[in-house]
Amino acid sequence: MAELREADAAKPHREDVSIKRDNVEDAPSTTYQAAEQVAENEADGDSDTKPSTTASERHMSIQTKLKGLEMLADLDGAGRKSCPLCPEEKFKACYSHKLRRHLQNLHWKVYVELQGQRMCICHLPCRNLKPSLSGDQVSGRHVAHYHCVVCSVTIARKTDMISHLKRHINKGETEASYSGSSDVPFKEPAPSDQAYEIMKELGTNVQLLPNHTTPQKSDTYFNRKMKNNRQLVFCSLAVLTEERNPLECLDAFGATGIMGLQWAKHLCNAIKVTITDISDTCVKMIKENCKLNHIRVDGCPRGPRVPDSEVEGVPIATVEVAKMDANVIMHLRAFDYIHLDPYGTAVNYLDAAFRNVRNLGIISVTSTDTSSLYAKSPNVTLRHYGCHIVRTEYYREVAARMVVATVARAAGRCNKGIEVLLAVALEHFVLVVVRVLRGPTQADESAKKLRKLVHCQWCEERLFLKQGNMVDDTLPCNCHGSLPGKTTVQLGPLWSGPLFNTGFLRRMLSAAVQHSMDDIQPLVKTLICESECTTLKSFVHGPSALTNQVECGVVIKTQQSGEESSPADQSGKRKTGEESGSAVKKLKSDMSLEHPPFYYSIHRHSIRGMNMPKLNKFLQYLTEAGFRVSRTHFDPTGVRTDATLLKFKSVLTKYSVPTYTNATATQKNVSTETTT
């Protein structure tokens, strides 16, 4: 009888709960003032109000506190209660202590959170029934799901709901926007500064989205590991400002605008920076970052430049921000310095870059498609770069020479040549900086340096192939005669000229010291030694160490005293007559001093059972043998030398010590002790 009385008492309670649930789902939407008053009552802990049931914009499974769920179930009342988020057939009515444990362990702990709002898991029949394998929906079952706090969608999987919310955040949608909401929707907490991350690099502050490292899900992208790349590009631009100014510079792929803002903030009046991006989100963020760094945004691309001023002691620069495709703006306007850093390969933008770049200007190209550059996707390499490569011990330099060859072909199509100033291949990117030399003669000279590379797959000897030579008779190794079958392959075409310009690198080092870039100074010093193929070098940063630089018959003005520099040298133009001929002769005489192509890895060619000498000692041994040697930034264990592989191995064998010498000596001592 007692059980029957409790059952009769529970029936009207269940009816009340069902009526409340229907009223929650069918009640008209309230105004913003009512929703705000409900939120205040919830914060005060008023037990007479139920905040999640009075606002129809949010489902009752979306709560900010556990007390909200408990208030829905009316745990303070007597008798058995049913779960407000589970149907009767899934969770039967029970007493308050059991229902409280159910709400805590299931609904409150299984959730997705957004800005303090918990979207608890819901088992009500809000979604369609899941059909069975035979297609019969009647025999299916209800699917647990989550209700989105921003829109009216219901999603079953937690990971899918998290991805769904991230898309809302990327689009800036964090307020309720239901189709059935009132004229004044429920106001969610606005995205404040907590949604952004402030990052400072080289004295420049930028705002970053929470998922700035995933460009597939966000329109903006920022990679902290590319800091060395940004500093190298900055130093190359700083060197160009010493030759002539003002310069018109283009950061073709702005993203957060960090690179262009660094240019404008540190070089100020010497340059006029233009930052472009095709994404509306990126353009908006770039403008916000300009305000963050007290940089004026110039919206008139062809208007007169406003002179820089000072506000509160902070120098103000001017940056032009444009929403435009990179190819379009490079076809419309001419620039002195262009930096290309797309997501992946840059081959689609090289033709437009060389179309309008000014004479003696500089183009820097950053390629991050390491899978195709490092011979992991040979079909993509052939499609993008038109080169055939295989995995070698010097694969990083092959990647750099392949990118330079692609840049040279793009310049040749515009009747322009290139002078390679810098080519760096690190773990995450390949950076190539070239100077543009206008004229078909310069284009022909650059095209002559595109050659095939003959590579032995057995001993990894390599040599650039000259026209008219047989492949098997080119390499100095004897692998093709001593081993059955063919062992050599042709790679390329690749750039066979030098990868560094010593004078330009020295001025880059001075710029790095001037702007306190301590991170890349060791790298630039290694590049200087590598360009001259030497191990001992003294670095002098004063103006007296800088002289006029000759590049392909072109005199580039550098910092000098007034007496030494003449007006003809300061113009930075091409020499004529006898001066041009003497410059070209001097350049040809210095061709023999260029660094030898490629390098050997000391670990790759070590002798089995022998202890190798230390790397610095081994460099000294090669120098004493009469070879030019240096370390390389491509490989920490690599040695750049003009010695052949046979001579390299002979010197390595001469100074290697057998590993079993100490072991045999100890064995002899042990054997003598045991016999005695």
Side-chain angles (χ1 to χ4, degrees):
M1 295 296 293
E3 295 178 356
L4 292 175
R5 294 193 190 96
E6 291 178 0
D8 295 336
K11 286 182 180 179
H13 175 70
R14 287 197 297 269
E15 292 176 358
D16 295 338
V17 172
S18 62
I19 291 173
K20 291 177 184 178
R21 190 180 304 158
D22 296 337
N23 293 336
V24 167
E25 296 175 354
D26 300 333
S29 58
T30 58
T31 59
Y32 172 71
Q33 290 81 3
E36 187 177 8
Q37 183 66 28
V38 164
E40 293 177 358
N41 294 336
E42 181 184 2
D44 297 337
D46 189 1
S47 60
D48 296 334
T49 59
K50 298 178 181 180
S52 59
T53 60
T54 56
S56 63
E57 292 85 0
R58 296 187 304 171
H59 193 262
M60 59 182 174
S61 63
I62 303 174
Q63 298 290 336
T64 57
K65 297 181 180 180
L66 177 60
K67 189 176 181 180
L69 286 179
E70 296 177 352
M71 290 165 57
L72 287 175
D74 193 15
L75 296 179
D76 296 334
R80 296 175 183 267
K81 285 90 176 172
S82 59
C83 178
L85 298 179
C86 294
E88 190 70 23
E89 59 271 13
K90 179 176 178 61
F91 187 81
K92 296 182 180 181
C94 61
Y95 291 105
S96 299
H97 67 280
K98 186 176 180 181
L99 180 57
R100 180 180 286 107
R101 188 166 57 249
H102 167 76
L103 292 174
Q104 291 178 355
N105 297 336
L106 177 61
H107 297 287
W108 186 248
K109 288 187 178 180
V110 183
Y111 67 96
V112 179
E113 187 174 2
L114 176 66
Q115 296 181 357
Q117 301 288 333
R118 282 199 178 189
M119 291 157 275
C120 302
I121 191 169
C122 177
H123 294 274
L124 296 176
C126 305
R127 293 169 55 91
N128 295 330
L129 295 177
K130 183 178 180 181
S132 60
L133 296 178
S134 60
D136 187 9
Q137 292 188 356
V138 178
S139 61
R141 60 182 179 86
H142 294 290
V143 180
H145 55 275
Y146 301 89
H147 291 263
C148 180
V149 71
V150 180
C151 60
S152 58
V153 70
T154 58
I155 298 178
R157 295 173 61 89
K158 182 176 181 180
T159 55
D160 295 341
M161 174 58 78
I162 294 175
S163 302
H164 176 76
L165 293 175
K166 286 183 178 180
R167 286 192 290 270
H168 279 308
I169 295 175
N170 295 338
K171 296 178 182 179
E173 300 173 355
T174 55
E175 298 181 358
S177 57
Y178 299 128
S179 58
S181 61
S182 60
D183 296 335
V184 183
F186 182 82
K187 186 176 181 181
E188 292 287 336
S192 60
D193 295 339
Q194 297 178 357
Y196 294 92
E197 177 185 355
I198 304 298
M199 196 279 307
K200 186 174 183 180
E201 180 181 299
L202 199 62
T204 306
N205 299 321
V206 291
Q207 293 180 354
L208 304 177
L209 289 175
N211 54 350
H212 60 272
T213 58
T214 55
Q216 295 87 355
K217 298 181 180 180
S218 174
D219 294 333
T220 61
Y221 180 63
F222 180 82
N223 191 356
R224 300 177 186 271
K225 297 180 180 179
M226 299 289 285
K227 181 179 180 181
N228 290 339
N229 177 274
R230 289 187 285 269
Q231 293 186 357
L232 288 173
V233 173
F234 178 87
C235 290
S236 63
L237 177 60
V239 171
L240 186 61
T241 56
E242 298 175 358
E243 301 174 6
R244 60 176 186 261
N245 59 75
L247 300 176
E248 293 191 15
C249 311
L250 174 65
D251 183 8
F253 301 90
T256 59
I258 176 65
M259 187 169 291
L261 294 178
Q262 289 178 353
W263 299 350
K265 195 167 186 178
H266 291 273
L267 300 179
C268 298
N269 297 330
I271 61 174
K272 182 179 180 181
V273 182
T274 302
I275 307 176
T276 62
D277 205 288
I278 196 63
S279 172
D280 294 328
T281 306
C282 292
V283 173
K284 181 180 178 181
M285 180 169 290
I286 293 171
K287 292 181 179 179
E288 293 178 356
N289 290 331
C290 289
K291 296 179 181 178
L292 187 63
N293 292 276
H294 305 285
I295 296 177
R296 187 186 304 109
V297 178
D298 186 8
C300 302
R302 297 186 181 276
R305 186 180 180 185
V306 180
D308 296 339
S309 60
E310 290 190 1
V311 177
E312 297 180 359
V314 180
I316 303 299
T318 303
V319 171
E320 177 185 347
V321 182
K323 180 183 178 298
M324 193 178 298
D325 185 76
N327 284 325
V328 175
I329 192 170
M330 287 187 292
H331 276 292
L332 292 177
R333 297 170 55 184
F335 294 95
D336 299 283
Y337 190 97
I338 298 176
H339 176 63
L340 302 177
D341 187 9
Y343 184 73
T345 181
V347 294
N348 300 327
Y349 307 95
L350 293 177
D351 291 334
F354 281 99
R355 182 67 60 183
N356 269 345
V357 64
R358 292 191 175 97
N359 189 29
L360 301 181
I362 291 179
I363 294 179
S364 60
V365 180
T366 300
S367 300
T368 55
D369 53 333
T370 54
S371 60
S372 58
L373 292 174
Y374 295 161
K376 296 180 181 179
S377 303
N379 55 335
V380 182
T381 304
L382 185 62
R383 183 169 67 249
H384 286 172
Y385 299 96
C387 298
H388 169 69
I389 60 174
V390 295
R391 186 79 170 191
T392 61
E393 65 170 333
Y394 49 94
Y395 66 94
R396 295 187 188 275
E397 186 168 348
V398 169
R401 292 184 179 274
M402 183 171 58
V403 175
V404 175
T406 306
V407 172
R409 286 195 295 268
R413 288 191 290 269
C414 300
N415 287 333
K416 296 176 182 178
I418 63 170
E419 176 73 14
V420 182
L421 304 176
L422 175 67
V424 177
L426 298 179
E427 183 179 358
H428 307 285
F429 63 91
V430 174
L431 173 64
V432 172
V433 181
V434 299
R435 188 185 295 274
V436 181
L437 304 175
R438 184 174 297 176
T441 304
Q442 301 295 337
D444 294 339
E445 292 294 329
S446 300
K448 291 178 182 179
K449 296 180 181 179
L450 303 180
R451 298 180 184 178
K452 289 278 189 177
L453 179 68
V454 183
H455 170 77
C456 179
Q457 291 185 308
W458 182 257
C459 67
E460 296 210 18
E461 179 64 293
R462 74 299 304 250
L463 193 66
F464 278 111
L465 181 64
K466 298 181 180 180
Q467 296 180 357
N469 286 8
M470 299 297 293
V471 176
D472 292 339
D473 297 337
T474 302
L475 291 177
C477 65
N478 195 26
C479 297
H480 62 278
S482 59
L483 298 174
K486 296 182 179 180
T487 61
T488 58
V489 293
Q490 289 190 20
L491 309 180
L494 304 175
W495 176 262
S496 62
L499 296 178
F500 313 101
N501 188 290
T502 307
F504 191 84
L505 289 175
R506 285 182 172 277
R507 290 190 286 163
M508 282 184 61
L509 181 60
S510 300
V513 174
Q514 179 182 356
H515 295 280
S516 301
M517 297 182 181
D518 299 333
D519 297 336
I520 64 167
Q521 291 182 21
L523 176 60
V524 177
K525 292 178 181 179
T526 302
L527 295 177
I528 293 176
C529 293
E530 189 175 0
S531 64
E532 296 185 348
C533 199
T534 181
T535 56
L536 300 177
K537 200 64 186 175
S538 59
F539 298 98
V540 182
H541 309 303
S544 60
L546 303 177
T547 57
N548 281 346
Q549 179 182 349
V550 180
E551 300 174 3
C552 293
V554 179
V555 176
I556 306 301
K557 185 198 70 171
T558 58
Q559 294 180 356
Q560 281 185 329
S561 60
E563 298 178 356
E564 296 178 357
S565 59
S566 61
D569 295 340
Q570 293 180 356
S571 61
K573 297 182 179 179
R574 190 180 304 277
K575 283 189 172 185
T576 57
E578 298 179 358
E579 295 180 353
S580 177
S582 61
V584 173
K585 289 181 180 179
K586 180 181 179 182
L587 184 67
K588 290 183 178 180
S589 63
D590 293 341
M591 290 292 290
S592 59
L593 299 179
E594 293 179 358
H595 61 85
F598 304 114
Y599 53 90
Y600 300 103
S601 177
I602 188 172
H603 290 290
R604 167 66 177 81
H605 301 286
S606 61
I607 297 92
R608 188 173 184 178
M610 304 284 284
N611 282 335
M612 300 180 301
K614 293 187 178 297
L615 184 57
N616 292 333
K617 284 288 185 180
F618 181 68
L619 296 178
Q620 182 179 354
Y621 297 150
L622 283 175
T623 305
E624 294 174 355
F627 301 110
R628 299 173 59 200
V629 293
S630 70
R631 303 189 68 167
T632 176
H633 80 281
F634 292 108
D635 188 357
T637 63
V639 178
R640 185 180 297 277
T641 178
D642 56 350
T644 60
L645 181 59
L646 183 61
K647 297 179 180 178
F648 182 88
K649 285 186 175 181
S650 63
V651 176
L652 185 62
T653 306
K654 180 179 179 181
Y655 293 98
S656 297
V657 181
T659 57
Y660 55 83
T661 304
N662 297 332
T664 54
T666 54
Q667 288 179 359
K668 290 180 180 179
N669 295 333
V670 171
S671 60
T672 54
E673 290 178 359
T674 54
T675 54
T676 57

